[in-house]
Amino acid sequence: MLSTACTANQQSLVHLTATENSTCLLNGSSELPSNATCQWNITAPVGKVLRVEINFVFLNGPCEDEQARIFDGPGNSSDVIKTFCGMSSSLEIYFSSGRSFFLEAKTGRSSQPRFFVVDYQSVDLQGECIS
């Protein structure tokens, strides 16, 4: 289960390979643990790009303590596409410019629940741009 790689009081990095089937980032769970830095490096097969769908982000701490970011590339030194903090309930879809996306969620010490609902899949590049 992918969510076991993201645990309280730790930093984790998970490498994922996307398929053409849509996959939930946290494998059916959407709650993030306390005081954690959870990172996902998602790669598409050669000749494909990634489609990432941000369905819901809820982080209850101040933005400097709790945030989620999506990067267009393989690591957190890649270009930041968007930073989420607080609550974002709108559906947002992004396409990578290459084969990789890097997602990072940082949470604080609060015991309040936090949610991060993300689906991803590999797709053929057909002129889509990063939105």
Side-chain angles (χ1 to χ4, degrees), residues 40-56:
W40 298 271
N41 181 343
I42 307 170
T43 304
V46 173
K48 304 274 187 178
V49 295
L50 291 168
R51 178 186 185 273
V52 171
E53 186 175 297
I54 310 291
N55 293 304
F56 186 76

Side-chain angles (χ1 to χ4, degrees), residues 19-25 51 53 55 118-122:
T19 66
E20 292 179 0
N21 296 322
S22 183
T23 304
C24 186
L25 184 68
R51 178 186 185 273
E53 186 175 297
N55 293 304
V118 177
D119 294 316
Y120 65 93
Q121 68 186 113
S122 67

Side-chain angles (χ1 to χ4, degrees), residues 2-14 26 32-41 59 64-69 71 76 102-109 114 116:
L2 299 176
S3 60
T4 58
C6 185
T7 57
N9 304 310
Q10 292 187 14
Q11 179 170 345
S12 63
L13 173 60
V14 177
L26 290 170
L32 292 167
S34 297
N35 195 34
T37 299
C38 307
Q39 300 171 321
W40 298 271
N41 181 343
L59 301 166
E64 59 271 4
D65 293 337
E66 297 197 347
Q67 61 178 260
R69 295 187 294 173
F71 300 85
N76 59 4
F102 190 83
L103 284 79
E104 180 177 71
K106 292 183 180 182
T107 61
R109 297 189 180 278
R114 300 158 190 88
F116 190 50

